[in-house]
Amino acid sequence: MAFTSICLTRTQVIFMYPKPVQSFSETENIIKDMILQRENHTDLVLVILKKEHLEFLGICEVGAIDTHTPELGIWLKKSAHGHGFGREAIHALKGWVDKNLEYNYLSYPVDKRNIPSRKIAESLGGKIFREFQQINESGYLLDEVEYRIYK
């Protein structure tokens, strides 16, 4: 999942795999890639907007939709944390997945330290399947758990 550097804090960057972009053209290329992925039916990336004012809050994604193990992901700007927007968005996205895709399970990888995101996976009945570590594109060590979420 790719993100712009707008509204990112150091705390958020250490939990994400992709690194923030450095230029407008990089952002433009990422958006073009997301559109192609949607057209090719491989990924679905959606913008999360606040209902009242259509304020940008973040993005959510279901990747690998052309497989039997799609992956859920989310990023919210810091000011949107703690209001239930992430849970609402991921629950709505899972509803779409349940209606539109055939799958064995959904994967939801998250850094162990990212408690709010872990609670989202657990609110969908997610169970930890495996634990692993990897270095993200910003050079931080991710200490991850992968939740599996079933229909």
Side-chain angles (χ1 to χ4, degrees), residues 37-38 41-44 62-67 70 96-97 101-102:
Q37 291 167 346
R38 186 176 187 164
H41 304 286
T42 59
D43 293 65
L44 176 64
V62 57
I65 62 176
D66 56 342
T67 72
W96 181 89
V97 169
L101 301 178
E102 291 294 325

Side-chain angles (χ1 to χ4, degrees), residues 102-114:
E102 291 294 325
Y103 66 94
N104 296 334
Y105 61 86
L106 299 173
S107 173
Y108 190 105
V110 59
D111 191 282
K112 287 180 184 179
R113 300 164 290 180
N114 190 346

Side-chain angles (χ1 to χ4, degrees), residues 2-132:
F3 306 92
T4 66
S5 58
I6 200 165
C7 303
L8 286 178
T9 65
R10 182 185 179 280
T11 306
Q12 291 169 296
V13 171
I14 64 173
F15 292 146
M16 304 170 6
Y17 184 79
K19 69 179 184 176
V21 297
Q22 304 299 310
S23 68
F24 181 77
S25 64
E26 238 184 296
T27 302
E28 192 174 45
N29 288 336
I30 288 168
I31 293 170
K32 286 178 183 176
D33 286 345
M34 288 176 177
I35 292 168
L36 282 174
Q37 291 167 346
R38 186 176 187 164
E39 290 172 353
N40 292 331
H41 304 286
T42 59
D43 293 65
L44 176 64
V45 181
L46 302 171
V47 174
I48 303 168
L49 303 174
K50 195 169 186 179
K51 291 176 186 173
E52 302 83 51
H53 311 290
L54 300 181
E55 173 189 352
F56 174 79
L57 300 177
I59 63 173
C60 62
E61 169 185 30
V62 57
I65 62 176
D66 56 342
T67 72
H68 291 290
T69 58
E71 182 177 304
L72 296 175
I74 188 163
W75 171 81
L76 290 175
K77 66 182 183 178
K78 183 72 172 163
S79 63
H81 290 191
H83 301 283
F85 300 130
R87 182 180 296 222
E88 182 180 355
I90 291 293
H91 278 253
L93 188 57
K94 184 178 183 301
W96 181 89
V97 169
D98 287 349
K99 289 178 187 171
N100 293 284
L101 301 178
E102 291 294 325
Y103 66 94
N104 296 334
Y105 61 86
L106 299 173
S107 173
Y108 190 105
V110 59
D111 191 282
K112 287 180 184 179
R113 300 164 290 180
N114 190 346
I115 302 303
S117 194
R118 292 183 67 176
K119 286 182 179 181
I120 291 172
E122 292 165 1
S123 75
L124 290 167
K127 302 290 184 213
I128 296 173
F129 171 72
R130 70 179 178 123
E131 299 184 21
F132 61 98

Side-chain angles (χ1 to χ4, degrees), residues 134-147:
Q134 66 178 332
I135 303 294
N136 69 11
E137 291 178 348
S138 296
Y140 294 105
L141 177 68
L142 297 176
D143 192 12
E144 300 218 42
V145 292
E146 178 190 333
Y147 286 90

